[in-house]
Amino acid sequence: MSQTPIHELNDRTRIIFRMVVESYLDNGAPVGSRTVSKFAGLNLSPASIRNVMQDLEEAGYLASPHTSAGRVPTESGLRLFVDGMMQSAAPSVEEQRAIESQIRGDGPIEEALAAATSVLSGLSACAGIVLVPKRDAVLKAFSFARLSPSQVLAIMVGSDNSVENRLVSIDPAISESMLSEAANYISARLSGLTLSEALERLDSEIRAEKAELDVASQKLVRDGLAIWSLDANDRPVLIVRGQSNLIDEAAAADLDRVRQLLDELESKEEIARLVDSAREAQSTRIFIGSENNLFSLSGSSVIAAPYREAGGKVVGVIGVIGPTRLNYARIVPMVDFTAQALSRLIRPA
């Protein structure tokens, strides 16, 4: 059924619709006409209100969970409310201080991002999420460990002393001495460079015939470096905090939905792709329920905002995941404030 645009709803209908949505978001219960009639300043009988609510239901903005119950907003109704009727409230001074106190520049950026996600989760009573900026690792040392004739473990030590391992398929003809030669070349000639810089240096030296490696070793070095670059592009790093917030008393009546949402949160790569789509937004983006296929079963909402480095380039996204019954007016500005606070902290790579 085609839905009536917001500008075509008369004032009385808009007021009743807003009251139904706000009441539902406050307590999670279906809203009846008698409840709406008790709001101050609304001089209408329950019967008149009931007729308006019936019209809104036929328009697809409200639904009746049970025959005798009141109405709840549909996902289309929530979208109408969020886009055209919601009156946002800025985070309180206490909330702003709580967020800013966790976002400091005196440690690794990943720590600040994880802390910001945790405090955002606590304040919103949702699961907090953040996409970590994609930064090239800086090489410090490199080695290969053979696992089988055709497979080795590539071991990279970063400048921050982090250690990462990746599996690399190789030609069974590659000898142990060739593995050592390739690893020594990377550690000696490419240390201090980012992965992309190391690959450029390798290609440059090969073209100038300065690589001092045979063809097989050149390929081994390139494959060993390239696997990290591909991995970083294909698997954005997603931090999730506060999943336990999704299991509360209100969720007890709908455990199947909560279980589905927790299962969806385990699929970090899919969620990362969804959240990453908010990079192009000028401010906060809101995904409601089945608007995204990932959350079509759990009926969850995502509120996400991009954060930038000092030069203005978008480097990541931060937000929350929760049920569609969220206090959007409070949480949307909170997510936006957190993104702005992170943007003041991050410096260009």
Side-chain angles (χ1 to χ4, degrees):
M1 181 181 296
S2 65
Q3 295 178 323
T4 307
I6 186 172
H7 63 270
E8 293 184 12
L9 298 179
N10 60 43
D11 290 343
R12 182 177 69 174
T13 301
R14 287 166 62 95
I15 291 171
I16 292 174
F17 176 69
R18 189 180 70 248
M19 288 179 173
V20 171
V21 175
E22 290 177 345
S23 177
Y24 171 74
L25 295 181
D26 283 342
N27 56 49
V31 183
S33 57
R34 288 189 177 277
T35 300
V36 176
S37 68
K38 295 176 182 177
F39 284 106
L42 192 61
N43 190 23
L44 291 172
S45 68
S48 297
I49 295 171
R50 195 156 45 244
N51 289 335
V52 172
M53 293 171 69
Q54 179 64 37
D55 292 340
L56 286 166
E57 184 173 354
E58 292 176 357
Y61 294 129
L62 297 181
S64 300
H66 307 289
T67 305
S68 59
R71 266 80 166 188
V72 299
T74 61
E75 290 180 0
S76 296
L78 288 173
R79 172 56 63 188
L80 175 72
F81 174 77
V82 166
D83 288 348
M85 306 178 73
M86 182 177 71
Q87 296 179 341
S88 299
S92 67
V93 174
E94 291 77 12
E95 290 170 340
Q96 292 182 30
R97 288 174 179 166
I99 294 169
E100 290 177 328
S101 68
Q102 298 297 319
I103 302 177
R104 303 191 185 120
D106 54 359
I109 185 61
E110 288 78 11
E111 289 185 7
L113 291 171
T117 308
S118 294
V119 71
L120 187 58
S121 169
L123 291 172
S124 67
C126 297
I129 50 175
V130 65
L131 276 179
V132 177
K134 297 176 182 177
R135 295 177 183 269
D136 256 349
V138 176
L139 286 164
K140 181 179 180 181
F142 206 98
S143 62
F144 291 104
R146 188 185 290 274
L147 300 178
S148 70
S150 60
Q151 199 169 58
V152 297
L153 191 66
I155 306 166
M156 183 183 72
V157 180
S159 59
D160 59 354
N161 292 321
S162 61
V163 179
E164 294 191 48
N165 305 316
R166 297 290 187 278
L167 290 174
V168 181
S169 297
I170 62 170
D171 187 331
I174 295 287
S175 66
E176 292 298 325
S177 62
M178 295 170 70
L179 288 174
S180 296
E181 182 185 17
N184 291 337
Y185 177 87
I186 294 174
S187 296
R189 300 281 296 173
L190 307 179
S191 178
L193 302 177
T194 65
L195 291 171
S196 57
E197 290 169 343
L199 284 167
E200 289 178 11
R201 170 78 64 84
L202 174 65
D203 288 341
S204 176
E205 294 198 353
I206 289 174
R207 286 194 299 270
E209 298 184 350
K210 296 180 180 179
E212 300 178 0
L213 294 169
D214 59 32
V215 174
S217 295
Q218 289 174 10
K219 183 177 186 306
L220 184 59
V221 171
R222 165 166 277 284
D223 290 348
L225 295 175
I227 193 168
W228 261 276
S229 297
L230 291 172
D231 189 65
N233 290 330
D234 293 341
R235 297 174 59 191
V237 179
L238 181 75
I239 298 174
V240 182
R241 293 286 186 273
Q243 293 97 319
S244 59
N245 286 336
L246 303 173
I247 308 173
D248 56 15
E249 293 182 7
D254 197 0
L255 289 179
D256 286 341
R257 185 195 65 78
V258 175
R259 191 177 296 112
Q260 179 66 42
L261 175 55
L262 293 176
D263 287 343
E264 290 162 349
L265 286 175
E266 290 300 312
S267 180
K268 288 189 176 182
E269 289 185 37
E270 289 188 51
I271 294 177
R273 281 190 282 272
L274 167 64
V275 174
D276 198 47
S277 67
R279 281 176 174 267
E280 305 303 320
Q282 293 301 311
S283 57
T284 307
R285 282 198 67 183
I286 303 170
F287 305 90
I288 300 176
S290 59
E291 290 179 351
N292 182 272
N293 290 335
L294 179 60
F295 297 115
S296 61
L297 295 178
S298 67
S300 305
S301 287
V302 177
I303 300 173
Y307 59 91
R308 296 167 168 79
E309 63 183 20
K313 177 184 176 183
V314 173
V315 292
V317 180
I318 190 165
V320 299
I321 297 176
T324 54
R325 189 184 67 80
L326 290 176
N327 188 337
Y328 295 93
R330 173 174 172 264
I331 297 177
V332 169
M334 189 184 296
V335 170
D336 188 55
F337 178 85
T338 306
Q340 292 179 34
L342 285 173
S343 297
R344 291 192 292 270
L345 169 71
I346 297 176
R347 297 290 179 263

